Amino acid sequence: MSDTLFPKLPYKLKQRADEATVNIQLQQFVNHATYSKDVARKQAMGGAFGENTDAVRDLAGQIKQHTLDHLDHYLEQFIDNATATGVQVHFARDGEQANQIAVAIAEANKCRLCVKSKSMVTEETHLLPALEAVGCETVETDLGEFILQLDNDAPSHIVTPMIHKDRTAVARAFQRELGAEYTEDAEALAQIARKHLREKYRKADLGISGGNFLVAETGSVVLCTNEGNGRFCTTAPRIHVAFVGIEKLVPRLEHLGVMLKVLARSSTGQPLTCYTHTITGPKREHEHDGPEEVHVVLVDNGRTDVLHEDTREMLRCIRCGACLNSCPVYRKIGGHSYGAVYSGPIGAILTPMLKGLENYTDLPHASSLCGACYEACPVKINIPKYLIQLRRDMVQNHLSGTGDRVTMRLWGESLQHEWSYRIGGWMQKTFARMQAKFGGTLETDDPYASRGWLTWAPGPVKGWTQERDMPTPTAKSFRHWWRKEHGR
Amino acid sequence: MKVALFITCLTDTFYPRTGIAVVKVLEKLGCEVAFPEAQTCCGQPMWNNGHHHEARELAKRMAEVFEPYDHVVTPSGSCAAMIRDYYGEMFEDEPAWRKRATALSDKTFEFVEFLVNVLDVDLRKHGVKWDGQATYHYSCHLRGIGITDEAVRVMKQIEGLEYKPLEKAEQCCGFGGTFAMKYPQISGTMVRDKVSCIKATQAPTVISNDAGCTMNISGSCRREKVDVNFKSLAEIIAEGMGLM
């Protein structure tokens, strides 16, 4: 499992991606689920905001950008206000330190059973194995994550972690690991999970969660879930530890009015998630429910490096998964191909930033730059722009091959002069048409429309013809027609 | 109105008929069309691959070549988006060039965009008639220049043309320039998805306005034995006006 999200570095995407493209199940599940989620997002955003959709995205983006521009100020404010409510705030420079903090809390309180709701940051830090290592049993309670834990599998989508599996995988896991009777009935499966997990909530002494937002003004942690498991995890056990990335801050409660609206619509097409939980401090004296101790671990883990002016916008991300759902590449290769915790378009820019560009040189290139992600992003992160920026950084840092550099230099130079452009075009045309003629596919009627087809081509074009035919240039170019018609 | 045509390297070499159609339609609509022959490429392949020095040199050339004209029209959303989205950004440290390059950004239009948003043409007034069923491929870079359903609206103004909507119209066909060659299997899976949507429309003609997409999708149609014709909307209009 750990190999999937933490592969040997440097990571090359091609092998897993190519395998994914011929994995029929993955093609069906991921392709279909992401497409329908994308449609739902558009309907939800358009339905609620109509022609103001773009303005709402602008506003959400500005709220996040403003917070990031003044992150030191808002972090301080959050720490002060959270501490005042009785929350113990910790700061973790990296994943290891974050895990040590959680382990120390578990050990100090002799915690034996931990229930955990969904959190990408804990995937980043690899928290559960660290807790298991000190004898604290861990149970994932988000349904998707629960199945993945039973299957020793890794999440492949930020919001829908088991998007690469279907109901039969759930049935098999429950039969194998929980001794349940095999059933594909969704309701029956949910009941099996519910019965199993209720027992765990009752016995757990440690609850782990993530956080969708942190509110600086009140020191609150905001959790958005659809299954109610987040609420159990953060109220039933004696101790609650929230792992939250430092970029999750918003200045004031009122900003949630915008952020919650775009988050749920962008991720699942809902107006709001079923549960929106605002945690402000541990249980108070007069309260019956709630943890006695609340800890918030503010996790950096590479984020302050991304905070640089050139890349700060990437940290606006609210992990809604809309870019994954809209991405034609993600739809075809699934999340595991990205070889990191964050997949899809946002992963393709964030992972190289967090884990080293030299370790993930494929990620920024494995995109057709179609821009669907930018259009889907509720906080307007210009992902295609950053993909190109990372490609530029690779060229500047000599991470792209010499062949690539020489080709681009020569190609660029040949386009600097009309004569070399024309010679290049003529050579391309002549060789391709000769090959097509030899292959018997060359048409010879209208010189401005007649073409042939290549089913095999050498060098860099080989990749093209491996998958589809290549049309040849026409017998005569547009330029030729213009000269003929306009007399020169 | 005086208009300069930026043909783009792919249309020049692979789809000259589209360029001819653009010239004929614009002239018919009363424009005076010029074709500055010194033009080559907008620099998109270099820019997208991170070779920004080379891209800047080509952008400078573009800015110079098209400086004398008021409007530049190109039959490619992709190249129009390159000029509009990135020509300003690429000269952040060179204000003089930035000014010249953004001047080009401001006056560059994709052909259909130019018809609808600048010339404000209603084809119904020109009696354009083209018989047949056609579906339409929305190329991704139209997003970059803020174009949504303009082409479909134009198609609906053509008498006899029966428009068959394409499922997953907004999903990229998998071309992506060098992407198609660097990651052939991903790109191939993407284009086959597009081809199966095209096949499902049962339309014999696909209207596709970006040369790169057309090369990719038509190549896959041929490999998958899906027998359809590819035309640009400019060709359809020119044929419908009896110009070709």
Side-chain angles (χ1 to χ4, degrees):
Chain A
M1 171 201 165
S2 62
D3 248 24
T4 312
L5 305 186
F6 298 88
K8 201 170 130 295
L9 301 177
Y11 176 71
K12 290 287 167 201
L13 158 144
K14 221 172 165 63
Q15 192 191 338
R16 280 195 203 171
D18 286 355
E19 282 167 16
T21 60
V22 292
N23 179 335
I24 300 200
Q25 279 199 336
L26 187 137
Q27 289 305 316
Q28 284 172 348
F29 304 160
V30 179
N31 209 7
H32 177 74
T34 48
Y35 178 65
S36 48
K37 278 171 192 294
D38 192 45
V39 171
R41 171 188 62 79
K42 281 183 200 149
Q43 285 169 350
M45 290 292 282
F49 307 122
E51 59 185 22
N52 292 323
T53 301
D54 203 50
V56 172
R57 291 169 61 225
D58 255 333
L59 183 59
Q62 281 167 19
I63 291 171
K64 291 293 289 188
Q65 189 68 35
H66 166 84
T67 317
L68 295 167
D69 287 344
H70 307 281
L71 195 59
D72 49 349
H73 167 75
Y74 287 115
L75 272 172
E76 231 171 87
Q77 209 183 336
F78 173 81
I79 294 168
D80 288 347
N81 293 330
T83 310
T85 66
V87 170
Q88 300 177 50
V89 183
H90 311 258
F91 189 86
R93 190 180 54 248
D94 55 26
E96 203 183 319
Q97 203 176 40
N99 291 351
Q100 280 167 3
I101 293 166
V103 166
I105 296 167
E107 284 188 314
N109 292 283
K110 300 192 173 55
C111 298
R112 301 261 63 90
L113 176 62
C114 159
V115 281
K116 180 183 156 290
S117 75
K118 199 168 147 18
S119 148
M120 293 309 287
V121 179
T122 59
E123 298 289 344
E124 244 182 83
T125 68
H126 222 31
L127 171 64
L128 295 196
L131 286 171
E132 297 268 354
V134 296
C136 183
E137 184 194 342
T138 61
V139 181
E140 293 278 8
T141 63
D142 170 88
L143 264 181
E145 295 279 2
F146 178 50
I147 315 297
L148 295 176
Q149 192 181 31
L150 292 179
D151 280 354
N152 197 26
D153 198 352
S156 72
H157 187 286
I158 295 173
V159 177
T160 326
M162 58 166 284
I163 195 166
H164 58 292
K165 291 176 182 256
D166 75 342
R167 195 181 293 188
T168 62
V170 182
R172 284 195 302 276
F174 284 0
Q175 187 185 33
R176 192 185 66 237
E177 301 294 329
L178 308 180
E181 203 173 311
Y182 185 92
T183 169
E184 290 178 14
D185 179 61
E187 199 144 319
L189 287 169
Q191 284 303 326
I192 298 168
R194 179 188 164 105
K195 192 164 163 246
H196 180 83
L197 291 175
R198 282 290 155 110
E199 210 41 43
K200 298 290 182 188
Y201 292 130
R202 260 184 217 116
K203 290 183 185 151
D205 39 22
L206 175 63
I208 303 269
S209 77
N212 293 88
F213 301 100
L214 296 174
V215 184
E217 169 188 50
T218 58
S220 311
V221 179
V222 181
L223 268 190
C224 303
T225 72
N226 272 330
E227 297 167 16
N229 63 313
R231 194 161 285 187
F232 271 122
C233 289
T234 57
T235 50
R238 194 157 46 83
I239 298 173
H240 168 213
V241 178
F243 267 43
V244 195
I246 51 171
E247 83 285 12
K248 289 296 181 77
L249 273 163
V250 293
R252 290 197 297 276
L253 272 178
E254 68 182 65
H255 295 129
L256 293 177
V258 179
M259 303 314 298
L260 292 175
K261 279 179 189 168
V262 297
L263 174 63
R265 288 188 171 87
S266 301
S267 50
T268 52
Q270 295 166 286
L272 265 185
T273 41
C274 298
Y275 299 87
T276 304
H277 195 31
T278 309
I279 302 162
T280 312
K283 177 166 82 170
R284 288 160 185 77
E285 261 179 46
H286 62 279
E287 290 174 337
H288 295 295
D289 296 318
E292 287 159 22
E293 278 181 30
V294 174
H295 298 262
V296 173
V297 183
L298 296 170
V299 181
D300 181 339
N301 207 23
R303 286 163 172 76
T304 41
D305 297 333
V306 192
L307 201 55
H308 186 275
E309 217 177 307
D310 279 357
T311 48
R312 190 176 295 165
E313 191 179 304
M314 294 182 195
L315 292 180
R316 289 181 188 179
C317 177
I318 56 172
R319 310 284 189 263
C320 68
C323 63
L324 281 66
N325 296 336
S326 69
C327 177
V329 173
Y330 177 89
R331 286 178 188 169
K332 302 293 177 250
I333 67 175
H336 291 166
S337 295
Y338 292 80
V341 171
Y342 300 108
S343 56
I346 189 68
I349 59 173
L350 212 46
T351 302
M353 290 301 299
L354 295 173
K355 317 262 288 191
L357 184 54
E358 68 283 4
N359 289 322
Y360 285 95
T361 49
D362 271 355
L363 258 46
H365 275 288
S367 161
S368 63
L369 300 176
C370 79
C373 50
Y374 182 27
E375 195 179 67
C377 178
V379 287
K380 280 203 170 173
I381 301 171
N382 192 339
I383 296 175
K385 179 181 132 183
Y386 287 114
L387 289 169
I388 294 174
Q389 195 169 304
L390 289 169
R391 294 175 183 189
R392 177 204 65 193
D393 293 348
M394 273 187 253
V395 172
Q396 283 177 355
N397 299 323
H398 297 270
L399 292 169
S400 59
T402 319
D404 185 52
R405 297 172 74 82
V406 173
T407 309
M408 285 297 173
R409 179 61 57 86
L410 290 176
W411 191 4
E413 189 52 41
S414 78
L415 293 168
Q416 275 299 337
H417 317 278
E418 197 195 334
W419 63 267
S420 42
Y421 168 87
R422 291 166 65 111
I423 290 176
W426 179 84
M427 280 170 51
Q428 191 183 8
K429 178 186 81 182
T430 307
F431 288 120
R433 289 181 69 90
M434 213 169 359
Q435 195 187 332
K437 191 174 180 187
F438 186 69
T441 63
L442 198 65
E443 306 154 2
T444 49
D445 42 356
D446 176 359
Y448 302 108
S450 87
R451 69 183 78 254
W453 296 89
L454 309 185
T455 51
W456 178 88
V461 193
K462 196 173 151 198
W464 179 289
T465 51
Q466 176 193 312
E467 298 292 320
R468 76 226 99 183
D469 294 349
M470 176 86 173
T472 69
T474 49
K476 301 288 181 197
S477 67
F478 171 81
R479 218 164 268 264
H480 177 276
W481 176 83
W482 181 267
R483 289 195 164 187
K484 186 166 67 82
E485 290 295 307
H486 296 77
R488 246 189 67 184
Chain B
M1 192 181 286
K2 283 186 183 172
V3 175
L5 171 67
F6 170 42
I7 188 69
T8 81
C9 44
L10 288 183
T11 311
D12 187 11
T13 325
F14 287 86
Y15 298 99
R17 201 169 180 272
T18 294
I20 297 168
V22 167
V23 173
K24 290 190 168 173
V25 171
L26 289 177
E27 283 177 349
K28 173 85 179 173
L29 295 171
C31 297
E32 193 182 310
V33 183
F35 178 70
E37 290 190 40
Q39 63 179 281
T40 59
C41 164
C42 64
Q44 184 173 195
M46 290 78 204
W47 180 259
N48 282 358
N49 278 292
H51 297 264
H52 289 190
H53 168 74
E54 285 79 359
R56 264 192 293 273
E57 294 305 306
L58 288 171
K60 286 179 185 172
R61 187 184 167 83
M62 286 287 292
E64 275 174 344
V65 168
F66 288 103
E67 209 139 55
Y69 305 96
D70 297 334
H71 292 96
V72 177
V73 174
T74 179
S76 160
S78 180
C79 305
M82 173 67 206
I83 295 168
R84 295 243 288 258
D85 289 352
Y86 292 114
Y87 269 26
E89 185 190 321
M90 64 167 68
F91 295 112
E92 248 165 18
D93 304 326
E94 294 174 80
W97 273 112
R98 186 186 167 90
K99 201 170 162 218
R100 294 175 74 179
T102 49
L104 178 58
S105 311
D106 293 344
K107 65 184 183 190
T108 299
F109 300 91
E110 188 271 334
F111 169 69
V112 178
E113 178 190 32
F114 187 71
L115 283 191
V116 176
N117 296 345
V118 180
L119 295 182
D120 198 15
V121 170
D122 185 345
L123 292 184
R124 283 168 297 200
K125 290 181 189 150
H126 296 269
V128 183
K129 195 170 181 317
W130 193 92
D131 281 321
Q133 291 180 332
T135 187
Y136 164 69
H137 167 63
Y138 174 85
S139 52
C140 299
H141 283 133
L142 293 176
R143 252 193 280 270
I145 55 175
I147 295 294
T148 52
D149 64 342
E150 280 80 349
V152 173
R153 275 167 24 214
V154 169
M155 284 164 68
K156 287 179 176 168
Q157 294 170 1
I158 299 174
E159 197 192 326
L161 193 160
E162 189 188 335
Y163 165 61
K164 307 280 272 183
L166 186 65
E167 206 202 344
K168 296 189 194 172
E170 280 154 56
Q171 183 175 290
C172 172
C173 72
F175 173 62
T178 49
F179 169 76
M181 286 165 270
K182 282 186 178 167
Y183 299 93
Q185 247 178 273
I186 306 176
S187 165
T189 315
M190 286 161 73
V191 71
R192 281 189 289 277
D193 198 349
K194 185 61 73 186
V195 167
S196 67
C197 293
I198 287 173
K199 193 177 173 186
T201 67
Q202 295 186 322
T205 301
V206 180
I207 297 178
S208 172
N209 293 333
D210 260 81
C213 309
T214 311
M215 289 172 72
N216 184 39
I217 306 171
S218 65
S220 184
C221 280
R222 190 168 187 278
R223 180 72 59 94
E224 305 304 317
K225 302 193 171 27
V226 174
D227 188 20
V228 283
N229 265 318
F230 283 79
K231 277 186 198 291
S232 62
L233 190 51
E235 287 173 275
I236 300 263
I237 298 171
E239 288 171 12
M241 286 176 159
L243 303 170
M244 299 183 86

